[in-house]
Amino acid sequence: GAVVSQHPSRVICKSGTSVKIECRSLDFQATTMFWYRQFPKQSLMLMATSNEGSKATYEQGVEKDKFLINHASLTLSTLTVTSAHPEDSSFYICSAITGNEIQPQHFGDGTRLSIL
Amino acid sequence: GQNIDQPTEMTATEGAIVQINCTYQTSGFNGLFWYQQHAGEAPTFLSYNVLDGLEEKGRFSSFLSRSKGYSYLLLKELQMKDSASYLCAVMDSNYQLIWGAGTKLIIKP
């Protein structure tokens, strides 16, 4: 149980393109989803937290107009990187939890984004 | 500020035992998580400690001392597939997860 699916797994596109990444909880209701970014040989950096039906809470330094997050249902959250540039190239990972109890986050498989 | 420290890299031999340490300084404490992350993949949950002591789960064990702000992950009977990064993460008083930079474990035959 507690499976999170993330698509696409790999994206290569030109600078200026907008890229949408989907994160789905397959067998549970994801009341809260998290979006992380990870640069090579570094740890996870939380970008934003989203609760179903609410606006996402962004971490300091993360541009909300550049990284659009939508969590319209209990099973789907999307991250759109708008007008992506080479410096946005990174490994993006989503995770999800259900309810308010302390619990491990269940991670998607990640999306490797490469902007040329 | 909040801080999680763990060694950057460790090397161990197949079949041996290795201990990966994690020290933390956070605003409050609501538990400590260990995750395993293979290169290019997402983290997978290993253990959660909120009370002092040792939690054993197969070949992996995790220990916590809240008074010392210290935890370790113990891996026994190491296998080549255990080569990965091990991430320590602490949940603070606001239920935010503070992530360590991870320890890259290299297993040699």
Side-chain angles (χ1 to χ4, degrees):
Chain A
V3 177
V4 175
S5 174
Q6 186 174 340
H7 292 283
S9 58
R10 181 73 192 260
V11 179
I12 302 173
C13 57
K14 294 180 180 180
S15 183
T17 306
S18 290
V19 177
K20 179 185 280 190
I21 303 170
E22 290 189 350
C23 182
R24 293 179 184 273
S25 58
L26 299 185
D27 53 2
F28 68 102
Q29 294 186 326
T31 50
T32 304
M33 285 187 167
F34 305 89
W35 287 96
Y36 293 89
R37 180 167 52 184
Q38 187 175 34
F39 292 106
K41 299 184 179 181
Q42 295 187 23
S43 189
L44 300 173
M45 292 174 51
L46 180 66
M47 299 175 66
T49 302
S50 73
N51 293 298
E52 184 264 339
S54 302
K55 289 185 178 181
T57 301
Y58 289 81
E59 295 299 301
Q60 193 171 11
V62 178
E63 300 175 57
K64 62 180 181 180
D65 294 330
K66 182 168 183 64
F67 299 99
L68 302 178
I69 292 172
N70 184 280
H71 191 169
S73 78
L74 284 171
T75 58
L76 174 65
S77 177
T78 60
L79 166 67
T80 301
V81 184
T82 61
S83 187
H85 292 286
E87 59 266 27
D88 298 323
S89 299
S90 188
F91 190 51
Y92 292 86
I93 313 175
C94 70
S95 68
I97 59 173
T98 185
N100 295 316
E101 293 181 355
I102 295 174
Q103 58 193 275
Q105 294 179 17
H106 304 286
F107 286 85
D109 288 334
T111 298
R112 176 74 57 192
L113 177 61
S114 299
I115 308 298
L116 305 177
Chain B
Q2 310 208 87
N3 194 47
I4 309 282
D5 284 317
Q6 43 181 142
T8 304
E9 187 174 296
M10 298 182 71
T11 302
T13 305
E14 189 178 16
I17 299 173
V18 71
Q19 177 175 310
I20 302 174
N21 295 325
C22 172
T23 58
Y24 62 89
Q25 292 176 309
T26 56
S27 301
F29 181 82
N30 275 305
L32 185 146
F33 295 84
W34 282 98
Y35 283 83
Q36 179 191 62
Q37 185 180 24
H38 286 99
E41 299 180 12
T44 55
F45 169 71
L46 291 178
S47 67
Y48 171 68
N49 294 66
V50 67
L51 299 176
D52 291 350
L54 186 68
E55 295 274 346
E56 297 186 70
K57 194 183 291 185
R59 293 189 299 115
F60 292 8
S61 302
S62 56
F63 172 83
L64 174 68
S65 169
R66 288 172 295 171
S67 63
K68 295 182 179 178
Y70 168 70
S71 173
Y72 67 72
L73 181 69
L74 191 72
L75 292 75
K76 302 177 184 176
E77 301 170 18
L78 286 170
Q79 301 175 10
M80 298 303 293
K81 67 178 183 179
D82 297 329
S83 292
S85 287
Y86 292 85
L87 307 177
C88 172
V90 173
M91 183 168 282
D92 68 11
S93 57
N94 292 320
Y95 301 97
Q96 299 293 315
L97 260 188
I98 312 300
W99 291 87
T103 298
K104 182 179 180 181
L105 178 62
I106 300 169
I107 310 296
K108 295 185 175 180

